[in-house]
Amino acid sequence: MVTIPSRRKRATIHDVAVEAGVSRGTVSRVVNDEPYVSATARIAIEAAIEKVGYVPNNAARSLVMQRSEAVGFIVHEPHSLFLDDPNIGGILLGANTVLSRADYQMVSLVIDSQRDTDRVARYLSGGFVDGVIIVSARQEDPIIRVIEKLRLPAAFVGHPPDLRQLPFVGIDNRASARAITERLMQTGRKRIGMVAAALDRDSGADRLAGFTDALGDRFDPALVARVPLYTFTDGAMGMRELLDRDPLIDGVFAASDAVAAGALEALREAGRSVPGDVGIVGFDDSSWALRTQPHLSTVHQPAFGLGAAAAQCVLGQLRGEEQPAGGILLESPIVWRDSA
Amino acid sequence: MVTIPSRRKRATIHDVAVEAGVSRGTVSRVVNDEPYVSATARIAIEAAIEKVGYVPNNAARSLVMQRSEAVGFIVHEPHSLFLDDPNIGGILLGANTVLSRADYQMVSLVIDSQRDTDRVARYLSGGFVDGVIIVSARQEDPIIRVIEKLRLPAAFVGHPPDLRQLPFVGIDNRASARAITERLMQTGRKRIGMVAAALDRDSGADRLAGFTDALGDRFDPALVARVPLYTFTDGAMGMRELLDRDPLIDGVFAASDAVAAGALEALREAGRSVPGDVGIVGFDDSSWALRTQPHLSTVHQPAFGLGAAAAQCVLGQLRGEEQPAGGILLESPIVWRDSA
DNA sequence: TTGAAAGCGCTAACAC
DNA sequence: GTGTTAGCGCTTTCAA
């Protein structure tokens, strides 16, 4: 009777040990680059690994090591916004770059429903990741509670809501909004309005606060249109509202570049020239900024850097380093172009 | 001596069993919704689970089940393109939606260096995913070899290179390119050129082939500019080249919307009006299409649907269903707007 | 209907 | 230096 080896089964450390004529322990040492292995054994084992096509089984390793070498990247956005938001891609890439350099795997988790929330919560609880990076969490996000309960090393991109003591990286939205509004004022505009968006998020609220700061006495609440999302569509809607409320408006701070692009569209419909009749500034310096005509004056958001910093922060916690309290703020300089 | 329970350790199935006064096997049955558990036991166990805060450990489960309930989403693109390519986001979302509905986790793996390739290869080999979706694989991609060796259920978005017998979903780039070129010809343009991009990829090559098909005898190789990537920048570059070669050009098929947007910019620089002097059509119907002025006439690429179909395909293989050979082609209708 | 027990593949402590 | 062995937390026969 001939035993036909099951071709479907992967080689294990045991197969390698048999092939090389050593024990499993020794094979494990070689695989993990540990000392105290003779050159002879090492060579034999390496050859055996090659021969049987051995690849370590991550699940088994995670189980015994109690860690997975993976970090979750959680995006809590409606799908439509995920597509529209140019920052997310940059943040993702920055995080991925840092993580992979440290030989960590990045697992992206997109949440767009209650069902997704549950699934992700289970996933995190299941120990498939050693830490998480969270982009655009909401107030009262159940995921945050899970993270806290698990004491999972985490880093938020943007302020963590609910004032929790969790590390974050971000930019100073308020100061930047204030700075670019002041710059817009310096161009001599008299009636400056804002299309404010996403006020349920810290970034949205801060940008409005910065705008208010800059205007001081000149602030007129009637010149603020509030829209739900940082999108082109909402931008157009907000601008139409502003135009309606005050046809003489000659300066606009849009809460994001996408919003600014939408506003530009509304202005075009209304027959206003930019920057002739109306000066407009955006926020993000995303790919939108150069796709509009004229190109947008805006605040540069270092998306890639934010992702990289968040990853670094999680990695630091994983190494047991204490993280600076209160978060890390990155520079967000003004980029002045043609729209104002 | 009082034993202080280590608060850092997670509850295991064992703790639940002790708490509920049953065996681990029974707990496992309850957790996995299996039959043959008495109502009494079930209730006691559920209470115990709640009480000790038990969450199953995925690694242990993967180990014994030999599967992970996760599917990899591999994007092999330079970072810059990843950001620029609006299709990828849609594909990702489509795949994620289908996968999560089946309670599978999607793990995104971005490859942008040799190091990344190795890391991802190790990851796949390690059994952390049960299947993979591959976007924009290249010719001779080492990852493909790994997938084949592992016999990992896979689905490509776009033709798999190297004519391998691996399932894929895509659109008929050639037929669509031909169709939109013919439509452009019907507008009465006399000298029609193309900014061809990404000719090292099946999509790029097919779009050029479709263009050639449509033109037939009228095809003039001098009116084809070849650029490396589907980007705005390359589009502008290609258009300048075309204008240089034939200032009388009056129709252009751009290999993608991003390319078309770049071409539009070049045309604007050169003082040509669109669609007055030159009619231009794109491909993808991405977010670019409505951001340009005028809006682009283009081919609609069902990004979300492609991702969803690819996920379905992998899921099907996971269930042991045979997949249709030769791949699945989705509809890609023409969307006629203002640029031609 | 339930319990006991045998692993899944791996690491690490300990003995030799 | 190397082998042995005890688990990591879970599922899944097999008996009872």
Side-chain angles (χ1 to χ4, degrees), chain B residues 283-305:
Chain B
F283 205 112
D284 284 347
D285 192 23
S286 65
S287 59
W288 281 102
L290 296 174
R291 292 185 191 178
T292 59
Q293 201 56 30
H295 293 342
L296 296 175
S297 293
T298 187
V299 173
H300 180 73
Q301 168 120 252
F304 190 93

Side-chain angles (χ1 to χ4, degrees), chain A residues 136-187:
Chain A
S136 59
R138 310 313 176 70
Q139 305 283 347
E140 298 297 323
D141 199 321
I143 291 292
I144 298 181
R145 223 154 300 130
V146 173
I147 290 168
E148 287 185 316
K149 205 169 71 196
L150 258 36
R151 299 240 190 80
L152 211 53
F156 286 78
V157 177
H159 277 291
D162 311 350
L163 306 172
R164 299 191 192 231
Q165 283 314 304
L166 289 167
F168 71 93
V169 307
I171 58 169
D172 190 335
N173 279 289
R174 184 164 185 165
S176 297
R178 175 185 180 138
I180 196 157
T181 305
E182 282 169 349
R183 185 83 152 77
L184 179 60
M185 290 163 74
Q186 285 161 22
T187 65

